[in-house]
Amino acid sequence: MLSRERILDVAIGLLDTGGEGVLTVRALSERLSTGSGAIAYHVGKREDLLDAATEAVVTAALSAAPAPAAATPSDEVRAVALALFDAITAHRWLATRLTLQIVRNPVGPVTVGIFERIGRQVDALGVPRERWFDAASTLVHYILGAVSQNARIEGDTSGIDPVADRGEFFATTSTAWQELDPEHYPFMHAIVGQAAEHDDREQFLTGIAVILDGLTRLH
């Protein structure tokens, strides 16, 4: 039986396979063995479908974010951040859509849900009320910016290999950095080994830790 949930499930599968380019009403109709009218009835137009798919993935990710016993505000921020990080890693089209949701629909469930979940922890961290928006926005912007580096880039992708091997990329990059003049680029030479061996998730959490430490100093 055709339902909104079934439509979104198939749509997310198409997005995961090939990004926004493969998600058309025609392709979705063929997968579901139904007409475009039925899809429009349950979800709406293509843009509505993309927004609904984004909301479904983000809602599921935040709902699954662990809330450990005796969790501190910092623990909760890290849980939400990692939930979004993992969701965008699994659904590489999500970074672009999530950013668009926050910019285009500030009162939508995705934007409100993320800001509310993080904002409550900003309050619990003791950040002055007049700095809440800045503090929460800094966390949200960092999360989206950091995970977007590992996500599929929509738009102009000239010069970017969408299936490039991560290890090969950093090996090539490290080799190129080693060839730089160490007298003029001492820092780049110092981090060559770190760049080649770093863990994206741990690097992401380091950024969260730096921001949280800064927020505690806003008293």
Side-chain angles (χ1 to χ4, degrees), residues 24 27 33 80 92 94 98 115 120 136 144 152-153 181 194 214:
T24 64
S33 299
V80 172
R92 302 181 75 81
L94 185 60
L98 187 52
F115 268 89
R120 291 183 185 182
L144 293 181
R152 176 179 288 120
I153 302 171
D181 183 348
Q194 297 171 23

Side-chain angles (χ1 to χ4, degrees), residues 3-35:
S3 65
R4 178 182 175 85
E5 291 71 24
R6 171 60 178 158
I7 293 172
L8 291 179
D9 184 57
V10 174
I12 291 170
L14 286 171
L15 287 166
D16 289 345
T17 299
E20 291 187 30
V22 304
L23 181 62
T24 64
V25 174
R26 180 176 180 179
L28 193 56
S29 298
E30 291 176 353
R31 287 289 186 94
L32 293 166
S33 299
T34 189

Side-chain angles (χ1 to χ4, degrees), residues 20 31 34 41 55 60 67 76 79 81 83 88 92 96 101 105 113 117 123 127 140 158-159 165 197 208:
E20 291 187 30
R31 287 289 186 94
T34 189
Y41 173 78
E55 180 183 346
E76 175 66 7
I88 293 177
R92 302 181 75 81
T96 299
Q101 279 270 343
N105 194 9
R117 187 82 178 265
D123 179 17
V127 175
V140 172
S158 56
D165 178 77
E197 300 172 3
I208 293 293

Side-chain angles (χ1 to χ4, degrees), residues 1 19 27 29 41 100 115 182 189 217-219:
M1 179 178 178
S29 298
Y41 173 78
L100 288 174
F115 268 89
H189 272 263
R217 302 171 189 272
L218 290 178
H219 296 288

